[in-house]
Amino acid sequence: EHIEHVSDALAATATRGSMSPSAHAAVGRMCDSARRNGWTPEQFIVAVKTACYTSPAIRDLGTSSERDALLSLVVSECIKQYFSGVGQG
């Protein structure tokens, strides 16, 4: 339900090279939603990667190494927050 918010937050992340505050918040909401809906970590990461691959913010980056670096950053943050319970309500 919140996965689409990551696409919006990625625009700022893509230009900064680090997770923007809005991207951190979007990831937190996604983690809450995934846990609440009983998604396994694997299901969650697949959904995040799908959202990233379809995001104009990632698709329009100049090189594949830039896209890979941003995807790695986003997935790492998702894993960190999913397992730490950050944003858990």
Side-chain angles (χ1 to χ4, degrees), residues 3-89:
I3 296 221
E4 65 275 3
H5 296 292
V6 166
S7 292
D8 297 334
L10 284 175
T13 298
T15 59
R16 292 166 39 122
S18 62
M19 293 292 287
S20 68
S22 61
H24 277 286
V27 168
R29 289 190 301 272
M30 288 185 333
C31 290
D32 288 346
S33 179
R35 285 189 296 268
R36 200 171 37 254
N37 290 305
W39 288 17
T40 65
E42 294 83 2
Q43 290 171 312
F44 176 58
I45 294 303
V46 167
V48 168
K49 284 183 174 184
T50 299
C52 287
Y53 285 126
T54 59
S55 166
I58 288 184
R59 191 177 52 239
D60 295 343
L61 286 174
T63 66
S64 61
S65 60
E66 288 174 317
R67 288 187 293 275
D68 291 345
L70 182 56
L71 181 60
S72 177
L73 184 67
V74 171
V75 169
S76 294
E77 184 64 23
C78 288
I79 292 168
K80 179 177 141 190
Q81 287 196 36
Y82 185 92
F83 285 107
S84 71
V86 169
Q88 204 169 31

